[in-house]
Amino acid sequence: MQRKFHATLHVVHILETNFFQKSKSLEEVKERCWEIAHTYCPILEKKHFYCVEGEVEKSINVVANTIGANMLMIGDNKEKHPLEAIFVGSDTKAIIKKSSMPVFVTKSHEIHNYLTILIPTDLSKDSAVMIHHIAELFPDALLLLLHLYSVPFEFRLGMYGFNELEIMNFHEESRHAAETQLNLFMKTLKIPLKQLVPIVRKELLSSERFEENHKDLNADLVAIHTTGNISFFAFDLLEKSKNDVLIYKIHHTNKVHHGD
Amino acid sequence: MQNFTLLVATDFSQGSEVLLKKALHFAEKISCNPSCCSYS
């Protein structure tokens, strides 16, 4: 499938100057940072490397807005030494909260092609906006649209006097309703159906067992938006996931920026 | 064709090399023609 983007890579490092000794000039530190970045990524051009002083999340956002970034990519800072994590203070959640664009959080060390992307959806318009954007970015990927449902009063149906057959029917109706809702939602998307895989599962939205419960889907990326019911779940999942996570903050007045 | 600017924020802690490699791979992957993918 034809790709539509002309990608440009930029790198930013924020210096929190409080922690530098006065004997070391900032220019020296910045030059050293550039050398390391260039070693890791030789194709990177110096004019696209920004080493700026300031508060981490605020400064990242300023750079991102200045260059008109479409997406921010960050690592998982859990790997830091605990003391460093405290001092550096570049809390992943704070960066995401401050960011006005999608944030890609790399959690795994493997390089993936992202051919299977798991997208928990609440069938909302926000979710649709995100799914469209992901389909554009990853035209070769299968998008697994996961819609979770629960059976109302599931554990009280017996107590309320329903017999086994009636409870079974109730379960079946709930499942059928969830499948119908997901199929209707898919039809509203302007994405080829062969790229979408509808998955309906009876489960409460919980980050605790999310990865374990859906590991059979073999997704190499989880994409979530942070509005509505998904919001708390998104940040919780981010902490627990071993997969890379793509987080979209959808603003009703400011839809996902697709580029020029 | 749309321009897509990917900003990678690194703190140069352990794992930064992997982060930059993954970013490069991602930029190449979404580009229309990875061989002429612009980093300039």
Side-chain angles (χ1 to χ4, degrees), chain A residues 19-45:
Chain A
F19 302 108
F20 289 111
Q21 291 177 359
K22 284 177 183 168
S23 58
K24 202 81 178 164
S25 92
L26 278 174
E27 286 313 308
E28 259 182 85
V29 174
K30 287 178 182 179
E31 190 58 28
R32 180 73 190 126
C33 289
W34 155 248
E35 283 167 12
I36 298 169
H38 193 238
T39 307
Y40 290 165
C41 189
I43 206 163
L44 180 71
E45 290 209 7

Side-chain angles (χ1 to χ4, degrees), chain A residues 187-241:
Chain A
K187 282 179 188 163
T188 66
L189 302 173
K190 295 179 183 75
I191 299 171
L193 283 178
K194 64 178 181 183
Q195 199 185 350
L196 303 173
V197 180
I199 300 166
V200 165
R201 289 185 172 175
K202 184 171 78 69
E203 187 186 307
L204 292 171
L205 196 59
S206 152
S207 57
E208 291 295 331
R209 292 180 305 278
F210 185 82
E211 212 155 66
E212 176 68 19
N213 289 352
H214 307 294
K215 69 178 178 191
D216 58 308
L217 301 173
N218 292 318
D220 42 26
L221 177 66
V222 179
I224 31 182
H225 67 279
T226 61
T227 50
N229 298 331
I230 304 274
S231 193
F232 288 114
F233 168 75
F235 286 108
D236 227 18
L237 177 72
L238 177 65
E239 233 168 67
K240 296 180 175 77
S241 178

